[in-house]
Amino acid sequence: MKLLLVFIMVHTIFIPCFSFDIPTLLPAFPLTLDYYKSTCPTVFDVIKKEMECIVKEDPRNAAILIRLHFHDCFVQGCDGSVLLDETETLKGEKKASPNINSLKGYEIIDRLKNIIESECPGVVSCADLLTISARDATILVGGPYWDVLVGRNDSKSASYAHATTNLPTPDESLLSIVAKFYSQGLSVEDMVALIGAHTVGMAQCRNFRSRIYGDFQVTSALNPLSVTYVASLRKICPANSGEGDSNVAAMDNVTPNLFDNSFYHTLLRGEGLLNSDQAMYTSVFGIQTRKIVSKYAENPVAFFEQFSKSMVKMGNILNPSGGEVRRNCRFVNT
Ligand code: HEM
Ligand SMILES: *[C@@H]1O[C@H](CO)[C@@H](O)[C@H](O)[C@H]1NC(C)=O
């Protein structure tokens, strides 16, 4: 009788906290490797070649494209919704708080789309362009390769509301961030690996001010060099909000343009730039995440393997409501 009671309590009290909508996999999964085999056989080669130029022009472009794909997939699935411009009848996601004055790369996708449209008009979706270019970007800065499944539709709508609520923010609690990944069907292991993308790219002062004037000195106290590091960060990012808000610093200050596991070493040193990054190692709620961070710091191959798997998993979050292949990534077809 007692056992039964515990059982009921577990189900009535704890389970509801974790009853998120996990996107149900369709019986016959629609994405394939050879979706464009007959309609646009050169798509992977053409994008790869252009991506080489794009990353050579500025290695930060790799980081920018990886992040753009992530922000697409967490809102209605990977459906190119993030690319839609605001019109009279469509609100768009670009002005939502996690994206505004921060998310970049829309012009790069336009550039890829133009080239692909001249090669195979009306065939390749913008959502697939985001997925393929994020993979190529990763390789071009030294990260792992994985096969990209294709055949995504572009959405005919966007969601400002979900862009605001689904995307994690740097000052959010670890548990709340775990919940956001979980509701997308992504585990804690997926989450820790995917955030490893912060091994490339930059963050703005407004997103790390609370960290460098907060517990940075406490978490990094074991490392003597961190005194000079935090001083240099504070020079870039003054304490008063409004001053230098958009100044940037690398999230991995050792190898900012290289996709490696040194981001996890910054966390081990207590030098993570974002509160949300450091929390994976330091938070009292982060027993599980701390173990995974340590594993990836020790074993770069384990990180690469999981990052590849988790990027495929994230890329498989689909928008079930059908769609189209947009002619222009910024607008729904008329
Ligand atoms: C806890 C979850 C996450 C949070 C809170 C977070 C937050 C942030 C923030 C605040 C920035 C800096 C933006 C700016 O200052 O303009 C950033 C940049 C970046 N994020 Fe994340 N992120 C998370 C997860 C991810 C994931 C899952 C990926 C990709 C798989 C990713 C990829 C990137 C990249 C590559 C950049 C650098 C972009 C650039 O240089 O412009 N992030 N993220
Ligand atoms: C794309 O949309 C069409 C109908 O508009 C649908 O038949 C197809 O299954 C969709 N594909 C994916 C990957 O959702």
Side-chain angles (χ1 to χ4, degrees), residues 271-283:
E271 291 183 349
L273 188 61
L274 305 181
N275 277 317
S276 50
D277 290 342
Q278 191 59 49
M280 294 193 290
Y281 191 69
T282 309
S283 168

Side-chain angles (χ1 to χ4, degrees), residues 231-245:
S232 72
L233 288 172
R234 286 177 174 188
K235 237 178 214 156
I236 295 167
C237 186
N240 294 334
S241 85
E243 283 177 38
D245 279 2

Side-chain angles (χ1 to χ4, degrees), residues 7 28 141-142 213 239 325-326:
F7 182 76
V141 286
Y213 295 98
V325 171
R326 277 180 221 144

